[in-house]
Amino acid sequence: LEGPVAIGLVAVGLTALVNAVNSMDGIDGLIGAVAMVVAVVGIAFAGPAGWPLFIPIAGACAGFLVWNWAPASIFMGDAGSQFLGLLLGTALLAGSTGSTGSPGSIDVVPIAILVAPLLFDTGFTLIRRARAGRDLFAGHREHLYQRLVHGGVAHRSVAAGYAAATAVTGILALAWAELAALGQAVVLVGLFGVGMVFAAWVSQREREAAAAMPAA
């Protein structure tokens, strides 16, 4: 796609990523760890053209995590997380070259795969709230990672799990261009299936935690 349509899609995509990063910054260490993994993968994903952006981002996130890892003593806040989301998104777009290799060509699918843990959690939560008739713009604590914490999983474990998941999707993103069409379809279907299994497991943890609570 070219021209205004491409510009519009990029604007929507960047806005979605900025809001996903912001909304996922709700427990100690999670978004800092995930962003660090994205930046490290971005170093390989973008090649030398992206190093001036991704290396400082990865270093900044690593330094930040020293104090943001649970129990955290410093926090990003909205200004920090939104800026980080915008910086990651623009760095990925600027460093990506499409499968045709033509100037200005961008492969958006591997970018989406790389940040799939963020996008899936945010998208699943929005759809779940919409189906329940809740205000999509109201504050809440219904993200999958927040529900995991409510289910008794420690902040550190949840943050480490999302970072590990991002490392896996990062490997898939790097391998994307080398996969045949069937392999790419398997990756997409597999990621969605794993996401739905994870969402079901979160619900199970919630039910177990609620059942274990003493009666009032």
Side-chain angles (χ1 to χ4, degrees):
L1 299 176
E2 298 177 351
V5 175
I7 293 173
L9 288 176
V10 166
V12 171
L14 282 176
T15 302
L17 183 59
V18 167
N19 283 280
V21 171
N22 182 43
S23 63
M24 294 292 288
D25 183 33
I27 64 171
D28 297 347
L30 190 152
I31 204 60
V34 169
M36 182 180 67
V37 173
V38 170
V40 170
V41 174
I43 293 171
F45 183 80
W51 292 353
L53 285 173
F54 285 116
I55 291 176
I57 295 173
C61 289
F64 179 76
L65 275 174
V66 173
W67 290 277
N68 185 242
W69 197 248
S73 58
I74 62 173
F75 308 91
M76 290 189 196
D78 290 341
S81 59
Q82 289 177 358
F83 175 70
L84 180 60
L86 180 63
L87 197 59
L88 284 174
T90 52
L92 288 169
L93 289 173
S96 174
T97 301
S99 55
T100 62
S102 60
S105 177
I106 296 173
D107 272 340
V108 295
V109 175
I111 294 176
I113 290 175
L114 172 57
V115 296
L118 300 180
L119 297 181
F120 180 83
D121 192 320
T122 304
F124 181 88
T125 302
L126 286 175
I127 292 173
R128 183 171 178 266
R129 286 179 59 80
R131 291 184 60 184
R134 299 188 180 96
D135 184 357
L136 299 184
F137 298 99
H140 64 86
R141 298 191 63 80
E142 297 180 18
H143 279 278
L144 291 170
Y145 74 92
Q146 293 169 323
R147 293 166 59 197
L148 260 185
V149 171
H150 295 160
V153 182
H155 282 219
R156 292 187 177 192
S157 298
V158 176
Y162 272 76
T166 305
V168 172
T169 56
I171 293 171
L172 294 175
L174 291 173
W176 177 260
E178 306 301 324
L179 297 176
L182 178 60
Q184 292 178 340
V186 169
V187 166
L188 294 178
V189 173
L191 284 176
F192 180 77
V194 169
M196 295 306 295
V197 170
F198 173 65
W201 178 67
V202 171
S203 295
Q204 178 65 26
R205 289 291 307 224
E206 277 188 315
R207 289 192 293 269
E208 292 175 354
M213 291 181 62

